[in-house]
Amino acid sequence: MANVVKSPASPLTTAEIAALALSLAHLGSGPQADAARHGLRHAFEHLELGDDVVATTLATLTAPLPAPVADRARTIAGAITSRLVIRLHYRDASGRVSIRDVDPVTCMVHREHWYLVGMCRMRGAIRAFRFDRIIATEPTFVPARPHRPEGFLPFQGKRAA
């Protein structure tokens, strides 16, 4: 097989990394998934990872999700791609369970956790939902309202414009 080299002048964007990582996250642990994760790790090989947060985040990006979480990740990815509202059964940090309809925008990884970022219709605000706290996902046939990923700062409490 030939090696393909991407010019260092055009590194992967954050959106490209997130899309690749989400695609890998729900592949499971078969040989193709392992090879793909190795490739993503290779893409990060020349980055300076002096920051522990960055190193932990990159490790999370390239680790397989547990099977039940990977199943929910497939549903989430499908909703993002199809631009459809997704219904989440979500357990918050206090253990309270709620059912929320979300306009999914993107997924992200921070440290050792995956998050779905979207507009929560119940709260009318941007929210980040940790994958491991999502109990169940239900696809809907309701079109999601368009939201640009660049406008979402999920850990800063900003409301969408």
Side-chain angles (χ1 to χ4, degrees):
M1 287 189 133
N3 289 328
V4 178
V5 178
K6 184 172 172 105
S7 165
S10 59
L12 293 173
T13 66
T14 304
E16 290 170 335
I17 291 169
L20 286 169
L22 179 60
S23 297
L24 294 176
H26 60 76
L27 282 179
S29 58
Q32 288 180 324
D34 290 342
R37 281 189 194 89
H38 178 75
L40 189 58
R41 279 191 296 275
H42 185 72
F44 299 137
E45 208 169 70
H46 301 291
L47 296 178
E48 292 183 29
L49 304 178
D51 185 343
D52 285 341
V53 173
V54 173
T56 303
T57 299
L58 293 178
T60 302
L61 279 168
T62 56
L65 291 171
V69 178
D71 289 343
R72 293 188 290 273
R74 275 190 284 283
T75 304
I76 291 166
I80 292 170
T81 301
S82 302
R83 296 186 176 114
L84 295 174
V85 171
I86 187 164
R87 183 163 293 132
L88 304 178
H89 298 248
Y90 189 74
R91 178 176 289 118
D92 68 17
S94 301
R96 292 182 300 264
V97 175
S98 60
I99 299 173
R100 299 166 182 244
D101 286 351
V102 176
D103 295 346
V105 176
T106 192
C107 290
M108 61 179 285
V109 173
H110 180 68
R111 297 186 187 231
E112 55 276 324
H113 298 290
W114 276 90
Y115 296 86
L116 164 63
V117 180
M119 178 61 70
C120 175
R121 291 186 170 196
M122 182 171 91
R123 299 285 186 221
I126 299 163
R127 291 289 187 261
F129 301 94
R130 258 179 51 179
F131 275 28
D132 62 330
R133 292 184 182 157
I134 298 172
I135 301 165
T137 54
E138 298 175 40
T140 72
F141 296 103
V142 177
R145 295 180 200 113
H147 300 284
R148 295 176 49 91
E150 296 83 16
F152 283 70
L153 300 171
F155 298 107
Q156 297 181 25
K158 270 186 93 169
R159 290 176 95 52

